[in-house]
Amino acid sequence: MKLIFLGPPGAGKGTLATLVAAEYKIPHISTGDIFRTAIRNKTPLGLKVQSIIDSGQLVSDDITIELVQNRLMEDDIGGGFILDGFPRTIPQAEALERIIDIDRVINFDISDEDVIARLSGRRMCKNCGQNYHMVFSKPAVENVCDKCGGELIIREDDKIDSIKKRLEVYRKQTAPLIDHYKKQDKLTDIDARPQAE
Ligand code: ADP
Ligand code: ZN
């Protein structure tokens, strides 16, 4: 199954993608995770994209498309995959169509208010990049990574100004993909409102 998870920041795409990918033993390809790993490792790509990402804007289509194109040439994608956070613009979707045929696009439906509530609880391991949420996906010990014992921090782009910027960018540049895939009859909507605990 070749899937795209589409939706605003904080909709829970990454969390669900991790679960589904593990269940079906297919790769979870998150462009955001790839960029953040590059930033942590201070690679040339990381240095180039860091300030753009921290400010909540999108990395250029050229850089992002090349990255995904290379990833989809690796030999673990034969049994399917989940693309999480790509495509995010119409040109990215059109480029993807030239690379490979997608089966289904899962659209995570959630309001701006819920996004803000959700992102403000999000934490990330400073050391290994593992994601947590103070309400929805807590570590066993407060502020400590389950995987590596690292300290949990708030992502630079999860601060309120960047969140607002990312929502604006999402509505303007990414939401048009909903119609794009609806026209292709590939869209499935899911209710991504956070569940009260
Ligand atoms: P979110 O938590 O908002 O879903 P991601 O982890 O998917 O965020 O992405 C974090 C940041 O990485 C984005 O705000 C953007 O700057 C950059 N990024 C990720 N995917 C893309 C993409 N497909 N095109 C452009 N920029 C991207
Ligand atoms: Zn960790």
Side-chain angles (χ1 to χ4, degrees), residues 4 60-70 72 83 86-102 177 180-181 184:
I4 291 171
S60 75
D61 284 339
D62 286 354
I63 293 179
T64 311
I65 289 166
E66 192 189 325
L67 183 91
V68 172
Q69 186 156 24
N70 289 334
L72 292 178
L83 280 173
F86 183 93
R88 252 179 162 91
T89 64
I90 294 281
Q92 288 181 15
E94 288 170 349
L96 180 62
E97 277 150 33
R98 291 191 288 272
I99 301 170
I100 204 161
D101 205 26
I102 294 294
L177 293 175
H180 180 85
Y181 288 117
Q184 297 183 5

Side-chain angles (χ1 to χ4, degrees), residues 24 37 43 69 84 152 156 175-176:
Y24 292 94
T37 301
T43 68
Q69 186 156 24
D84 163 16
L152 306 189
E156 201 52 46

Side-chain angles (χ1 to χ4, degrees), residues 45-89:
L45 173 70
L47 296 174
K48 196 152 44 171
V49 301
Q50 173 152 31
S51 62
I52 305 170
I53 289 184
D54 284 351
S55 74
Q57 282 161 301
L58 292 185
V59 175
S60 75
D61 284 339
D62 286 354
I63 293 179
T64 311
I65 289 166
E66 192 189 325
L67 183 91
V68 172
Q69 186 156 24
N70 289 334
R71 180 63 186 86
L72 292 178
M73 278 171 12
E74 286 177 33
D75 50 19
D76 61 348
I77 65 142
F81 53 81
I82 300 173
L83 280 173
D84 163 16
F86 183 93
R88 252 179 162 91
T89 64

Side-chain angles (χ1 to χ4, degrees), residues 124-130 132 144-152:
M124 184 184 75
C125 174
K126 195 176 167 181
N127 184 41
C128 77
Q130 178 68 32
Y132 295 92
V144 178
C145 178
D146 290 345
K147 274 181 148 178
C148 77
E151 180 197 351
L152 306 189

